[in-house]
Amino acid sequence: MKSAYELAMERLAKADPAAAPLNAEQKARLAEIDRVYQGKIAEREIFLKQQLTAALTARKLDEADQVRKQIAGEKARLEEERENEKERVRRGK
């Protein structure tokens, strides 16, 4: 007998083929995408935080606020790119 969980997973797989289990190659590619984008995000944060520190040291508060917004925007953009790329891998494209 199958558990309720197994039955639900079967129904989900039939309803949404994209939710099918990932193969080893897809899992490796998803891990690689995460690693690459974590590096990109860290690189941008380091660069922009240096600018933020310089602006705060010079007491340029408007510039510091602008850099903070840029940090948030860059991080959101890169995370969105990462998720889009991961979705392409999940769909097998």
Side-chain angles (χ1 to χ4, degrees), residues 1 3-4 8 11-13 21-22 27 29 32 35 38 41 45-46 48 54 58 60 63 69 76 82 93:
M1 262 176 89
S3 68
R11 282 192 301 258
L12 179 63
L22 301 173
K27 289 178 183 179
R29 181 68 184 128
E32 176 69 15
R35 187 186 62 75
Q38 284 175 349
I41 290 169
E45 282 184 339
I46 290 169
L48 292 172
K60 296 179 181 178
E63 186 177 323
K69 289 177 185 175
R82 174 177 56 190
K93 294 181 181 178

Side-chain angles (χ1 to χ4, degrees), residues 31-88:
E32 176 69 15
I33 290 169
D34 276 334
R35 187 186 62 75
V36 167
Y37 276 91
Q38 284 175 349
K40 287 181 180 185
I41 290 169
E43 179 183 346
R44 290 304 296 161
E45 282 184 339
I46 290 169
F47 175 75
L48 292 172
K49 284 183 179 181
Q50 288 173 346
Q51 288 184 346
L52 178 62
T53 301
L56 290 172
T57 302
R59 297 182 189 266
K60 296 179 181 178
L61 300 180
D62 289 338
E63 186 177 323
D65 285 339
Q66 189 176 21
V67 172
R68 284 188 189 109
K69 289 177 185 175
Q70 188 176 358
I71 290 171
E74 290 279 330
K75 188 173 181 180
R77 180 184 61 81
L78 287 169
E79 287 174 351
E80 184 177 342
E81 281 180 21
R82 174 177 56 190
E83 289 306 314
N84 288 340
E85 194 166 335
K86 286 171 70 173
E87 190 58 36
R88 282 193 291 274

Side-chain angles (χ1 to χ4, degrees), residues 5-27:
Y5 174 77
E6 290 170 325
L7 293 171
M9 291 305 292
E10 284 179 5
R11 282 192 301 258
L12 179 63
K14 288 178 186 175
D16 185 10
L22 301 173
N23 61 38
E25 183 182 330
Q26 288 172 318
K27 289 178 183 179

